Amino acid sequence: MNKLEEKIKKIQEHIVEQRSSTQKKILISEMKKIGIEKLPYSYSALKPFIDSETMKFHYSKHYKGYVDKLNKALSKKNYGDLELEKIIKNISKYDETIRNNAGGAFNHALFWNMLSPKSQELKGELLKKITTEFGTFNNFKKKFETTAKDRFGSGWIWLVLTKKNKLKIISTPNQDNPLMNIIKDGGFPLLGLDLWEHAYYLKYKNKRDEYIKNFWKVVNWDFVSKMFEMKTKTKLIESRMNKTIIKEYVEKPYIQSCSFKEERVFQDLLKDSEIGLIYGTGIHNALKTVPWLEFKPKNLSVNRMQGYYKNNERHNLSYLAGNYRAFCMIAKSVNNLLIQTGQEPLNFVDTTIEEIKNSVTRLVNIITINSSKIFEESSPFYRAIMSNLGGSILKGEKIEKLTKERLINKFGENNVEIVSGFGYQTDSNGNDGKITINGITQSLQIKPFSKGIIENNNFIVITSGTLKNYNQDLMVFTNFKETLIFKNTNTKMRLHAYEFPVEDLIYTLR
Ligand code: MN
């Protein structure tokens, strides 16, 4: 096996590992289909709580019965393929049989996952939330137990997260679930306890209180916490997502650039530590397979951090894993290709964190498999990535400082206002800054550029920045050598360049 093959093998192993750890996280989104949920442990595994005979009956007779009866009822009515979670959320549309059996199927599928053979301790955000809202963890347990003891007849006790993001303990009759639209003041179920006699009677007989107390010995807090985090994180991301992204460009060419709003979505995704890690690790693994790039974990001789080098020069690709603009462009372009070739697109919006993570995993997998094509220096994809990374990252800070100095020299300190980090972020109006010339304040769009060429009375500015129509009054192009200021009234776009009539160049600052 040669060196490259070895590398690829390692990466593939890593991807498989990463995938299985993602898959291990069984969450509600994976229970949507109406099938029998596999019991994640043996019948005898929950001994401190329940005996194996009860578990066997509970799982193979009662639970399976709900699933079978539900499917039978649905097929009779010709509802077609439905997702269990959807039925639950719209339960008022269905009859009593479906309500009871859909509830039974859903509640138990959740319940099996909420129990664990290993005794677990609650930690993290959910513990903080419980302590804040119930005073102490013990208070919460007491309240849960009291509510359970007060349940008359068959039903369930739940800890739910309400729409207002509060924790609440509620009790539902029969097989109703807090997500059902007929439940007043329901919520998203985090933890549930089955209080049907079939769940405990063989072992506990009439000592239901003891069954309730022993429940704490087997709660799968890891799962419950994940449900909580998934729900709270999804809310956070949903609120920032622009829902039109990633859906509208089937007919556009292969390489896609991103709008400011789209870039913000990917900026948020990169900030999520788990997503950032999946993407970052994936990108690094992909880069390590690029034959012409040299990875230097620590290059002490040139006194720089680790990174990727070519001809002893640190390469801009070193910044790829942390750059949200490139992330957005790659995701959008890959998605475009998937759509064009009839494959299922990646989903980054309007979905669960879990699905986003799966999409990112799929994305880095695609990049790794195709790394020799993507990171081929003459490929359009590579050039697009590089123009996205641009000089703005490696040289950004220095250029920014220089540009500011040049503007202040020319127009005076009081007349210059620059948004810092203009190379890769702008303020909410899309302005990179303002300058006041002869009492008139004008907004700026600042771009890095590599070269200016005069051709037939036109000034062509070759830029590594995004090509877009901007609303700002002035287009400012800057690099180590000079800063050019154009009126933004006759701006035209070319491939990797802007074009202006020569007379629109109003200042050249050095
Ligand atoms: Mn049950």
Side-chain angles (χ1 to χ4, degrees), residues 4 7 286-295 309 371-372 375-376:
L4 187 64
K7 274 182 179 177
L287 288 178
K288 282 173 195 167
T289 68
V290 179
W292 56 266
L293 258 188
E294 197 190 347
F295 178 63
Y309 286 76
S371 68
S372 62
F375 300 107
E376 217 272 65

Side-chain angles (χ1 to χ4, degrees), residues 7-23:
K7 274 182 179 177
I8 292 169
K9 193 169 166 269
K10 264 193 195 150
I11 286 148
Q12 279 165 344
E13 280 164 6
H14 180 81
I15 288 165
V16 172
E17 260 170 45
Q18 232 174 31
R19 267 206 188 150
S20 65
S21 83
T22 311
Q23 277 160 357

Side-chain angles (χ1 to χ4, degrees), residues 143-158 170-176 183 193-197 200 208-209 212:
K143 196 162 177 213
F144 192 94
E145 286 173 25
T146 313
T147 316
K149 283 171 195 168
D150 290 345
R151 168 86 246 154
F152 183 78
S154 299
W156 290 75
I157 304 303
W158 304 96
I170 67 164
S171 161
T172 56
N174 305 316
Q175 292 295 359
D176 286 353
I183 299 291
L193 175 60
D194 188 346
L195 285 178
W196 282 56
E197 284 189 352
Y200 64 87
R208 197 172 76 162
D209 293 4
I212 295 166

